[in-house]
Amino acid sequence: MLEIILFYLASGVALAATILAMTRANAIHALIYLIVSLLAVAVIFFLVGAPFAAALEIVIYAGAIMVLFVFVIMMLNLGEKGDARERQWLQPRIWSGPAVLSLVLLCELLYLISSIEGSASAGTVTAKTVGIALFGPYVIAVELASMLLLAGLVGSFHLGRRTLERGS
Amino acid sequence: MQELAVPLNHVLLVSSLLFCIGMLGLMIRRNIIFILMSLEVMLNASALAFIAAGAHWGQPDGQIMFMLILSVAAAEVAVGLGLVLQVQRRFKSLDMDDANRMRG
């Protein structure tokens, strides 16, 4: 019973934090709400029996990726002028159309998903099981992920250089 | 294992709600940093759906897909933030409407 209450609390926190993150004018405020949302999703992972994924979510998403965002926002140094521009872009006439469109899609999704039955956790899947599957049948996926990360490293190094204009 | 566990469809409902919020953010924001954040939210929502499905069957495959999504998100954010720096240098603005032509 306790874990169901915890699940609903965590999902409420995740949804509220994500909505607040999407509607902030200041980028750093939005980022902090986004970190709260990721932590709440990590709690959901833990509750459905995936503790290893919960740890990875906190360490990599809320730790590494969000710190990358913070660094870039601080390098850009947006300030008050950027906040005012964001508020001007967030008028209701701008977002009401897309909101209605995604609401329609959301209603369809909710209708379809609510017909699924069954419980979400069939016991805890430990890190050992995940590791055995990762380096057994999924070893090609590990290689592909490493090549993708290498490509991301090379691409971000190339894009982040200050002298890109001279070369092109 | 437990009788009173979290229902699967409620986890999937939360995941689809998060995905729709991310898609809404992607459509209403013009700042490239917020667009990247919305992409993160959408990737995270799909990861939640994978984890829920994997936990429903008690198999590790959902968590492996989660790790692949994690590496895709990391690579995408690294390249995307490099692009953010270049856009800021060239256009002195983060508005994507300033950069909607293919010629720099």
Side-chain angles (χ1 to χ4, degrees):
Chain A
M1 200 60 215
L2 177 67
E3 56 198 13
I4 298 183
I5 297 169
L6 283 177
F7 167 72
Y8 288 125
L9 272 178
S11 13
V13 168
L15 292 173
T18 315
I19 291 173
L20 285 170
M22 290 295 111
T23 51
R24 290 303 95 177
N26 188 315
I28 290 283
H29 296 174
L31 207 57
I32 290 169
Y33 277 119
L34 198 56
I35 290 174
V36 173
S37 153
L38 293 174
L39 292 179
V41 171
V43 171
I44 297 177
F45 285 176
F46 193 80
L47 287 175
V48 299
F52 186 52
L56 278 182
E57 171 97 4
I58 292 175
V59 170
I60 296 181
Y61 253 118
I65 296 181
M66 292 298 127
V67 166
L68 214 61
F69 270 106
V70 171
F71 276 149
V72 169
I73 291 171
M74 292 195 171
M75 274 172 79
L76 296 177
N77 197 11
L78 298 174
E80 285 295 318
K81 198 162 63 73
D83 283 9
R85 204 172 47 192
E86 283 294 305
R87 276 197 201 91
Q88 180 203 337
W89 286 339
L90 275 178
Q91 302 292 325
R93 64 182 169 79
I94 295 174
W95 56 258
S96 53
V100 170
L101 289 181
S102 58
L103 202 66
V104 173
L105 283 180
L106 181 64
C107 291
E108 289 184 16
L109 263 179
L110 296 188
Y111 173 71
L112 282 176
I113 288 173
S114 54
S115 62
I116 298 173
E117 305 232 328
S119 123
S121 72
T124 305
V125 180
T126 56
K128 185 182 174 189
T129 329
V130 176
I132 288 171
L134 200 59
F135 290 98
Y138 283 101
V139 71
I140 294 285
V142 176
E143 295 294 326
L144 284 176
S146 68
M147 282 166 71
L148 177 73
L149 287 174
L150 179 65
L153 176 69
V154 173
S156 58
F157 174 72
H158 179 71
L159 286 171
R161 279 190 309 174
R162 206 167 273 279
T163 55
L164 198 63
E165 295 88 3
R166 234 184 298 152
S168 58
Chain B
M1 195 166 65
Q2 299 97 347
E3 288 300 312
L4 278 173
V6 182
L8 174 66
N9 57 356
H10 290 186
V11 188
L12 292 179
L13 285 178
V14 171
S15 153
S16 56
L17 280 168
L18 281 176
F19 192 88
C20 281
I21 294 169
M23 193 165 59
L24 181 65
L26 188 72
M27 288 191 283
I28 67 175
R29 303 307 293 247
R30 292 270 60 84
N31 188 323
I32 184 166
I33 293 227
F34 283 93
I35 290 177
L36 281 177
M37 279 190 214
S38 314
L39 282 176
E40 287 302 305
V41 169
M42 289 164 77
L43 281 171
N44 196 41
S46 56
L48 178 58
F50 269 117
I51 291 279
H56 175 61
W57 301 108
Q59 295 293 319
D61 305 63
Q63 296 193 39
I64 286 165
M65 282 298 153
F66 167 73
M67 275 182 234
L68 293 182
I69 289 175
L70 210 60
S71 53
V72 167
E76 172 249 329
V77 159
V79 174
L81 290 176
L83 282 172
V84 169
L85 292 179
Q86 288 297 328
V87 166
Q88 172 75 4
R89 260 178 225 147
R90 288 201 186 188
F91 301 102
K92 303 290 176 236
S93 153
L94 288 175
D95 186 358
M96 281 319 286
D97 291 340
D98 287 347
N100 59 1
R101 286 174 305 149
M102 295 292 276
R103 280 180 61 86

